């Protein structure tokens, strides 16, 4: 059957995430710092409320655009928290923000259009762009610059084929959080070159120093911004697979058309859970995000105490992008050594773009006790 596989997939290989997961079952004492799945279970109040809604009959297709009640809750959230007024026609409920990114890219890209990615970037962005017919152009973000976005390198990467750029704030995998000066630069470039800005804002509750502001709120940016958000991380709902897309009506109409031919609508029960998550937001608050913040700062302290390893002070997300250059190993070899000799799983940085080589990503999604044991084991390795 291999000959029947589409040519664009015949040369494809497993992602570094899949490769990192391949041998994990061989170690019963494995400490898994690779996958960004929250180790907490969704708040019981959300689960019970969604279950009651399912028992009451919310088990059918919703509107392809999303449950109208959830759309209104999303609008209420943006108005009360960010002072952004949204029409119903500007909100779409997606079956996860990862799928939402594919929908967004498919809605705007023609074959050969270029999309700027700020590397290191969330690894699916590249293949998602290519699946939608686009071509990726990487703009490196350097650790010595705080993994910030260089206006000079961004401008140098833009060509007549450039259609969009993808911005993840705060950033997976680096943990960098962008300030208003960066947003102003991005807005200026987007306007100057007539670009669409796709902003992935799924870690908004994990900003540790800078206040979060949606990119859409920047002057003149609403008409050229597609905002992706998710209930996975802020609300500890990874398995529910539900997210939101905020964009102007023509984009939402196109996304809806594409989506109807793929999944028709996001899972109805998951959408009910999302409604309750938004309504309980003030009560959930720091219960989970505060715990992750504590873990991230603890892990950074432990890393910086191990010879030949280092990491920048955490700014956002629950990831750390650890510098391993002094070990002399590339990121794949380093992760392989840690897995086989210390039984600690991490993700090689090269999977997040060429600029990620020399680093590994650590997901602080396990207890502080387990994190401590993981760094004890790594500290005993010989590099």
């Amino acid at each position: 059957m291999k000959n029947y596989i589409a040519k664009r997939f015949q040369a494809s290989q497993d992602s570094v995430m899949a490769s990192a997961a391949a041998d994990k079952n061989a170690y019963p004492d494995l400490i898994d710092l690779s996958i960004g799945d929250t180790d907490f279970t969704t708040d019981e109040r959300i689960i019970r409320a969604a279950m009651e809604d399912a028992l009451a009959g919310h088990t059918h297709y919703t509107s392809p655009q999303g449950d109208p009640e959830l759309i209104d809750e999303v609008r209420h959230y943006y108005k009360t928290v960010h002072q952004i007024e949204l029409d119903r026609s500007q909100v779409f409920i997606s079956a996860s923000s990862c799928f939402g990114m594919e929908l967004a890219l498919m809605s705007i890209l023609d074959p050969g259009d270029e999309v700027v990615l700020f590397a290191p970037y969330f690894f699916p962005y590249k293949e998602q762009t290519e699946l939608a017919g686009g071509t990726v152009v990487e703009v490196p973000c350097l650790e010595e610059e705080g993994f910030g976005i260089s206006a000079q390198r961004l401008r140098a990467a833009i060509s007549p084929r450039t259609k969009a750029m993808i911005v993840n704030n705060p950033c997976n995998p680096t943990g960098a959080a962008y300030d208003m000066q960066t947003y102003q630069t991005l807005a200026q470039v987007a306007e100057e070159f007539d670009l669409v800005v796709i902003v992935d804002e799924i870690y908004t509750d994990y900003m540790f120093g800078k206040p979060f502001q949606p990119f859409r709120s920047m002057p003149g940016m609403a008409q050229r911004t597609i905002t992706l958000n998710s209930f996975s991380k802020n609300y500890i709902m990874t398995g529910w697979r539900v997210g939101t897309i905020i964009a102007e009506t023509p984009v939402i109409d196109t996304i809806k058309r594409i989506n109807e031919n793929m999944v028709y609508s996001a899972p109805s029960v998951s959408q009910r859970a999302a409604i309750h998550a938004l309504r309980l937001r003030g009560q959930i608050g720091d219960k989970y995000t505060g715990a992750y913040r504590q873990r991230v700062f603890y892990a950074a302290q432990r890393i910086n105490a191990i010879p030949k390893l280092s990491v920048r002070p955490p700014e956002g997300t629950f990831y750390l992008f650890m510098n391993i250059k002094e070990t002399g190993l590339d990121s794949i070899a380093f992760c392989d050594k840690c897995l086989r000799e210390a039984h600690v799983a991490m993700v090689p940085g090269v999977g997040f773009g060429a600029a990620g080589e020399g680093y590994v990503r650590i997901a602080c999604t396990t207890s502080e006790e387990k994190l401590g044991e993981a760094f004890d084991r790594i500290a005993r390795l010989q590099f």
Side-chain angles (χ1 to χ4, degrees):
M1 289 294 291
K2 185 175 181 180
N3 291 338
Y4 295 100
I5 301 298
K7 290 182 175 60
R8 65 184 182 276
F9 292 118
Q10 287 186 7
S12 297
Q13 299 177 343
D14 284 344
S15 69
V16 290
M17 189 68 77
S19 299
D23 297 328
K24 291 192 294 187
N25 291 335
Y27 307 106
D29 63 339
L30 180 85
I31 300 176
D32 188 0
L33 308 181
S34 65
I35 304 297
D37 190 2
T38 58
D39 58 325
F40 294 114
T41 298
T42 303
D43 191 283
E44 183 177 337
R45 291 166 292 181
I46 296 173
I47 298 172
R48 291 192 179 279
M51 180 180 68
E52 291 298 325
D53 283 350
L55 291 170
H58 287 279
T59 59
H60 304 276
Y61 294 127
T62 68
S63 160
Q65 189 172 332
D67 186 321
E69 197 173 341
L70 176 54
I71 288 173
D72 282 344
E73 285 293 335
V74 171
R75 294 171 62 216
H76 177 71
Y77 166 82
Y78 272 89
K79 182 177 180 179
T80 56
V81 176
H82 299 302
Q83 294 74 55
I84 294 176
E85 294 274 0
L86 295 172
D87 187 81
R88 280 187 174 181
S89 66
Q90 296 173 309
V91 181
F92 182 87
I93 308 301
S94 58
S96 80
S97 64
C98 200
F99 183 54
M101 177 63 77
E102 191 65 49
L103 291 171
L105 289 164
M106 290 179 70
S107 74
I108 65 167
L109 294 184
D110 290 312
D113 282 349
E114 293 177 353
V115 177
V116 171
L117 301 185
F118 299 102
Y121 50 79
F122 181 47
F123 64 93
Y125 292 163
K126 182 176 187 295
E127 193 153 352
Q128 288 172 330
T129 299
E130 292 168 350
L131 283 171
T135 300
V136 164
V137 177
E138 296 188 16
V139 173
C141 299
L142 309 179
E143 183 182 17
E144 55 267 32
E145 298 172 357
F147 292 114
I149 293 172
S150 162
Q152 182 179 2
R153 288 194 292 273
L154 170 57
R155 289 177 179 278
I158 294 173
S159 80
R161 299 290 303 179
T162 307
K163 183 72 169 286
M165 50 184 167
I166 298 177
V167 182
N168 181 202
N169 186 36
C171 177
N172 172 9
T174 65
Y178 303 132
D179 57 17
M180 291 308 298
Q181 183 176 348
T182 299
Y183 268 14
Q184 287 165 3
T185 297
L186 292 172
Q188 183 179 1
V189 170
E191 196 163 43
E192 181 179 346
F193 294 97
D194 193 22
L195 305 180
V196 176
V197 185
I198 305 176
V199 286
D200 185 346
E201 298 180 342
I202 77 167
Y203 294 96
T204 56
D205 285 356
Y206 296 85
M207 296 277 279
F208 302 144
K210 303 177 179 72
F212 174 78
Q213 179 174 335
F215 185 79
R216 182 182 176 87
S217 67
M218 297 290 292
M221 288 300 106
Q223 65 266 28
R224 63 175 69 252
T225 299
I226 302 174
T227 302
L228 303 178
N229 215 315
S230 170
F231 292 85
S232 290
K233 306 303 166 59
N234 286 352
Y235 299 98
I236 318 299
M237 292 173 60
T238 52
W240 297 83
R241 312 315 294 142
V242 60
T244 62
I245 304 174
I246 309 298
E248 296 303 276
T249 302
V251 174
I252 295 297
D253 286 344
T254 304
I255 284 172
K256 182 168 64 174
R257 176 183 170 191
I258 297 167
N259 188 71
E260 285 179 15
N261 293 287
M262 292 186 168
V263 297
Y264 189 74
S265 65
S268 57
V269 177
S270 297
Q271 293 191 63
R272 299 307 299 179
I275 291 169
H276 299 295
L278 285 171
R279 291 173 180 170
L280 288 166
R281 182 177 184 275
Q283 298 178 47
I284 295 172
D286 254 3
K287 180 178 179 181
Y288 305 107
T289 56
Y292 283 124
R293 175 185 177 130
Q294 183 173 325
R295 292 177 186 181
V296 167
F297 279 86
Y298 167 75
Q301 181 183 16
R302 289 299 309 271
I303 290 167
N304 286 323
I306 299 174
K308 300 184 180 180
L309 303 180
S310 64
V311 71
R312 285 182 49 78
E315 294 181 357
T317 76
F318 45 58
Y319 302 107
L320 292 172
F321 211 49
M322 181 170 72
N323 187 320
I324 62 163
K325 294 177 182 178
E326 288 189 28
T327 69
L329 300 176
D330 65 33
S331 59
I332 293 175
F334 181 91
C335 286
D336 185 67
K337 181 180 179 70
C338 288
L339 179 63
R340 300 188 185 283
E341 297 182 23
H343 299 178
V344 176
M346 296 169 285
V347 182
V350 69
F352 303 97
E357 186 53 88
Y359 301 86
V360 300
R361 193 194 74 172
I362 294 170
C364 298
T365 50
T366 190
S367 68
E368 201 167 305
E369 179 183 4
K370 284 286 188 182
L371 287 169
E373 172 62 24
F375 295 120
D376 287 344
R377 295 182 191 180
I378 293 171
R380 291 194 289 266
L381 297 177
Q382 297 295 316
F383 295 110

